[in-house]
Amino acid sequence: MLDLLISTLTQGLIYALISFGVYITYSILDFPDLGVDGTFPLGAAVTAVLLTQGVDAWLTLPIAMAVGALAGLFTGFVHVRLGVRNILAGIITMTALFSINLQIAGSNLTVDRGTDTIFTSAPVMALLGDLTLMGRKLVVSLVLVLAVKLALDAYFKTKSGLLLRAVGDNAGLVTTLAQDRGAVKLLGLVISNALVALGGCVVVHEQRSFSATMGTGQLVYGLAAVVIGVSLMNFYAASPAARALRKKKVLRALSSPAGTTAVILGSILYKLCVQAALSAGLPANMMKLVTAALFLLVLVLSGRKGEEIIHA
């Protein structure tokens, strides 16, 4: 039971990287980027090939982010420069990436057990060699997710990050500030898809395998994680405990956690729900159905069908 819990927590942390990307596009940019289902396996495909070719495990992370950023740039170019509607731009990218991923890694690719991943690399073994492989996966995933979270929180406080938020809330305001809102959207899509591809990269390190169909349903997962996390944080922010914390200047930040914190929490809780359903006896090939059903349940229970929560 403990091993299952650790494994589920690790999965929740890794997939939080994907949820970060979905959070940026849906919650901040108000951009329904369906290209996520193609960008995730893109990062995975590139990583699997690089690992089999002997490339350093840690070097695969920035490379995967770079190719994901290119995918986001393409989506943004199609939408902003060519004038294609946002949802159609995402569909075009997702469709194109399916063929590109097949060209990169084929339909399936397995990384040999003798190949080092970020969880078995020399630096990690030197620091965490006393832990089991499962323990190392949990610690490394936690460090990666926290590093991305802190970087995003810092970025959202910069001028560029504030403009990114403004585009989704009030695009006209960005124009009045003499800023190109199209360029801001492009930047947001680049960051979002880079994070999604990073998620695909880490999944390959964790599972040691790539499948061309592994991107199916990742958008639903990311949206569900965002809705669950933001809903819980909204409930917490209105609670007596949060109101009490707001009265203490030192603890005020704890009364309204950042949106990235909500995303991590939502991702972990959603993975726990899926794992509970599978542990109850549902076959593994029903996982996508379970994912869709849980997402529908979350939207219905939110009372507002998730729309105001996602774009809050």
Side-chain angles (χ1 to χ4, degrees), residues 6-310:
I6 293 175
S7 177
T8 304
L9 286 174
T10 302
Q11 288 282 311
L13 288 169
I14 293 174
Y15 280 82
L17 296 170
I18 305 165
S19 302
F20 282 146
V22 174
Y23 173 71
I24 291 173
T25 51
Y26 276 78
S27 186
I28 295 178
L29 283 181
D30 193 14
F31 189 107
D33 183 15
L34 300 183
V36 166
D37 280 4
T39 307
F40 174 78
L42 173 65
V46 170
T47 301
V49 171
L50 291 175
L51 287 176
T52 56
Q53 295 298 317
V55 176
D56 181 78
W58 288 100
L59 187 58
T60 63
L61 271 65
I63 294 175
M65 292 184 71
V67 296
L70 288 175
L73 183 63
F74 176 77
T75 302
F77 177 81
V78 171
H79 170 61
V80 175
R81 304 306 179 196
L82 300 184
V84 177
R85 291 184 60 184
N86 50 20
I87 192 169
L88 295 178
I91 291 174
I92 290 170
T93 300
M94 176 182 63
T95 305
L97 285 179
F98 185 80
S99 295
I100 292 173
N101 294 336
L102 287 174
Q103 288 296 314
I104 293 174
S107 58
N108 293 281
L109 184 60
T110 302
V111 179
D112 187 80
R113 289 289 172 183
T115 302
D116 280 339
T117 66
I118 58 174
F119 305 112
T120 59
S121 61
V124 171
M125 294 303 295
L127 293 172
L128 306 173
D130 293 335
L131 296 178
T132 63
L133 176 59
M134 191 172 293
R136 292 197 301 273
K137 287 181 178 181
L138 177 61
V139 173
V140 173
S141 300
L142 178 61
V143 171
L144 276 175
V145 170
L146 289 179
V148 172
K149 169 194 158 41
L150 293 174
L152 286 176
D153 289 344
Y155 170 69
F156 289 145
K157 294 177 182 178
T158 65
K159 179 181 177 181
S160 177
L162 293 173
L163 285 173
L164 193 68
R165 288 180 173 277
V167 165
D169 293 334
N170 188 348
L173 175 62
V174 176
T175 304
T176 60
L177 294 173
Q179 300 291 331
D180 183 356
R181 61 185 179 185
V184 177
K185 280 187 178 182
L186 278 170
L187 178 60
L189 287 166
V190 164
I191 296 173
S192 168
N193 283 270
L195 292 174
V196 172
L198 176 62
C201 171
V202 180
V203 166
V204 168
H205 282 278
E206 197 265 336
Q207 297 181 353
R208 289 184 176 272
S209 65
F210 160 80
S211 170
T213 59
M214 66 190 299
T216 306
Q218 297 309 320
L219 176 61
V220 171
Y221 177 91
L223 279 173
V226 172
V227 172
I228 291 174
V230 174
S231 297
L232 289 176
M233 285 303 174
N234 287 345
F235 176 79
Y236 166 71
S239 67
R243 288 198 296 269
L245 288 173
R246 278 193 285 270
K247 296 177 182 179
K248 307 289 185 180
K249 187 175 182 180
V250 179
L251 303 175
R252 192 169 297 164
L254 298 176
S255 64
S256 54
T260 51
T261 303
V263 170
I264 296 174
L265 177 62
S267 179
I268 293 174
L269 288 177
Y270 199 67
K271 272 295 179 183
L272 287 172
C273 290
V274 172
Q275 186 57 56
L278 295 177
S279 299
L282 287 174
N285 59 7
M286 297 290 287
M287 188 174 68
K288 297 300 182 184
L289 177 61
V290 171
T291 301
L294 282 174
F295 184 37
L296 177 60
L297 180 63
V298 168
L299 292 179
V300 172
L301 292 179
S302 71
R304 295 173 292 181
K305 304 301 180 285
E307 189 67 20
E308 294 178 28
I309 294 175
I310 293 175

